[in-house]
Amino acid sequence: MTEPQISILENGLRVASWALPGLETAAVAVTAETGSRFERPELNGLAHLFEHMVFKGTKRRSARAIAEEMEDVGGQLNAWTSRDTTMFHARLLARDLPLGVDLIADLVSGARFDADDIVREKEVVLQELGEARDTPDDIVFDHLQEAAFPEQALGRSILGDEASLARITRDDLLGWQADHYAPQRLTLVAAGKVDHAELCRLAQAAFPAAAGSNPSPVGDDVRFHPGRHHDARRIEQAQLTAGWAAPGHHDPAQDAALLFTLAAGGGMSSRLFQQVREERGLAYTVSASLQPYVDAGLMSVHAATDPKQAAAARDLIMMVLHETAAGLEQAELNRARAQAVAGLLMALEGPQGASDYLGRSLIVHGRFLPPAELVARIDAVTVDAARAAGAAMLANAPARAEIGRHKAAA
């Protein structure tokens, strides 16, 4: 596998390519280091609405033309918004890469934000919000985020709510574009059958000259809180979540925390799955995950169980987590390590996975992090380090969010 090539264009746009031999396809994406945690509280949902609105038409293309041009060549175009990142990406034949670059650049820099389209798309987002609220195993994670980071940007929903969406105006969308989508704040990445010099030429032609941009930085006052949220609606399966403050991307303990989390609840062989589901039958679904941010992190556990068994499931989950922190075995660590390394390397075998990794690496680390370097970090984690990372996360009371008519956690 070749090494990626990285350039900074005259307009400040960072361009990175990763040539993968033997392919006839390419993945291309623009990554913006922005998301819902950059929003003002009263405009919660702006980043996500912006992502929707650019597909409604640009100065050069209608919404229909955007869809038809990509599908005329058999390509796929999509986007997503998280709390700290927004990505617009396309997968297509390598010969059609010029269209992919031009189309994505047109979306992020040339959206027209028609007033009627804004009204209609707000209704679409409200339907998306309604769908999320009607899906307990989806919305419970928003509740957990809010409980863990109350009255903070990290605790707010990516979708916003009815009141905040109603406040967003065309000027807000234009301001968001000017602040967060100037070329010097973007990274264009492509992987697959791609030539770096050609990609730079395409990017120089497609993206505008540099523009002023001075968005508010993410604050450094992230504060984890062991909050509680209980939605006592009547449902067939209670949704239980708990979350603990965890290492962020740049914390030396992040790799050990990841392996502890995988060993505790990362798969069917994990302690949580084996003891909570297989041995006791207390939950249909049980798992643990780690979400790192630049300046914080959240380790969470989720279980879906019969409301009558919620208390027993909750108690057993806590016992298993603490037992794992105290007595994680070498075989369990090795298994978690294999999961982490295999997941990374398997994803890199396709253009989309390679493109995603390259973009995330540049955004998080400011450089390309060679997979071998990341694998070496994971290989260096010892049993003692993984136990210590788990114990450190579990040392304080968790935040909790639960849905269902059952006795809530104290």
Side-chain angles (χ1 to χ4, degrees):
M1 183 178 287
T2 60
E3 288 290 309
Q5 293 180 269
I6 304 168
S7 301
I8 305 293
L9 303 188
E10 292 178 2
N11 61 2
L13 179 71
R14 181 165 52 184
V15 178
S17 66
W18 200 350
L20 306 177
L23 301 180
E24 292 299 327
T25 64
V28 61
V30 159
T31 303
E33 192 176 356
T34 191
S36 61
R37 71 176 302 190
F38 286 78
E39 301 163 345
R40 302 202 309 271
E42 66 272 18
L43 298 179
N44 183 209
L46 175 57
H48 178 254
L49 181 62
F50 177 92
E51 175 225 307
H52 273 234
M53 283 303 305
V54 302
F55 287 91
K56 304 309 292 183
T58 70
K59 299 177 181 69
R60 295 166 46 204
R61 294 176 170 96
S62 66
R64 186 183 187 92
I66 291 169
E68 289 181 346
E69 284 189 43
M70 182 56 65
E71 294 183 1
D72 279 348
V73 299
Q76 302 169 351
L77 178 67
N78 213 329
W80 52 260
T81 303
S82 71
R83 287 178 168 83
D84 52 10
T85 309
T86 307
M87 177 180 284
F88 298 85
H89 57 95
R91 180 77 191 278
L92 28 60
L93 297 178
R95 69 190 184 198
D96 299 312
L97 185 61
L99 171 64
V101 174
D102 182 70
L103 188 48
I104 291 176
D106 194 24
L107 291 179
V108 301
S109 61
R112 64 171 182 253
F113 303 123
D114 178 80
D116 290 339
D117 287 338
I118 293 173
V119 172
R120 281 191 294 269
E121 203 59 26
K122 284 183 179 182
E123 289 299 319
V124 172
V125 174
L126 287 173
Q127 292 178 44
E128 184 178 357
L129 179 60
E131 181 181 12
R133 288 171 174 169
D134 285 344
T135 310
D137 58 349
D138 184 358
I139 199 65
V140 72
F141 291 101
D142 267 3
H143 295 334
L144 178 63
Q145 200 81 17
E146 182 181 1
F149 303 105
E151 299 182 3
Q152 299 171 67
L154 273 182
R156 292 193 286 271
S157 167
I158 295 169
L159 299 180
D161 58 31
E162 289 82 355
S164 62
L165 287 168
R167 295 188 193 100
I168 298 172
T169 66
R170 183 174 188 271
D171 285 344
D172 294 323
L173 290 163
L174 289 169
W176 189 261
Q177 182 182 56
D179 284 345
H180 298 276
Y181 285 87
Q184 64 267 34
R185 289 195 54 81
L186 302 177
T187 298
L188 175 72
V189 296
K193 187 177 182 179
V194 57
D195 177 80
H196 186 72
E198 175 66 5
L199 181 64
C200 289
R201 186 191 68 76
L202 293 171
Q204 190 72 58
F207 286 85
S213 130
N214 187 29
S216 298
V218 174
D220 58 358
D221 59 343
V222 176
R223 306 172 311 281
F224 175 85
H225 179 71
R228 298 288 186 269
H229 185 289
H230 185 208
D231 177 349
R233 74 177 84 171
R234 187 182 296 278
I235 54 176
E236 291 298 317
Q237 280 198 312
Q239 300 293 326
L240 312 179
T241 63
W244 291 262
H249 282 298
H250 303 301
D251 191 313
Q254 200 264 326
D255 299 307
L258 171 63
L259 295 190
F260 169 83
T261 305
L262 288 173
M268 293 174 62
S269 64
S270 69
R271 288 200 183 195
L272 282 173
F273 192 94
Q274 286 297 313
Q275 295 189 44
V276 177
R277 173 174 165 151
E278 297 297 275
E279 295 177 14
R280 294 283 301 278
L282 289 177
Y284 170 69
T285 297
V286 60
S287 63
S289 62
L290 183 71
Q291 175 60 66
Y293 301 101
V294 170
D295 51 353
L298 186 69
M299 182 189 76
S300 63
V301 174
H302 167 250
T305 182
D306 186 317
K308 296 176 182 178
Q309 296 180 317
R314 190 189 300 122
D315 290 345
L316 182 56
I317 287 169
M318 293 298 294
M319 185 185 76
V320 170
L321 288 173
H322 283 280
E323 286 181 349
T324 307
L328 178 71
E329 298 178 357
Q330 185 67 52
E332 294 176 294
L333 178 66
N334 292 344
R335 191 178 303 120
R337 195 189 333 269
Q339 287 180 272
V341 171
L344 166 66
L345 298 182
M346 288 178 184
L348 292 179
E349 291 187 347
Q352 190 69 62
S355 173
D356 290 348
Y357 179 87
L358 177 55
R360 184 171 62 254
S361 178
L362 293 172
I363 290 294
V364 171
H365 302 287
R367 66 181 180 91
F368 173 66
L369 182 67
E373 182 179 334
L374 183 53
V375 170
R377 279 174 27 188
I378 293 171
D379 284 343
V381 175
T382 65
V383 168
D384 286 343
R387 288 178 180 175
M393 291 186 289
L394 296 170
N396 297 307
R400 291 189 184 275
E402 301 182 352
I403 300 178
R405 192 162 293 183
H406 60 273
K407 184 177 181 180

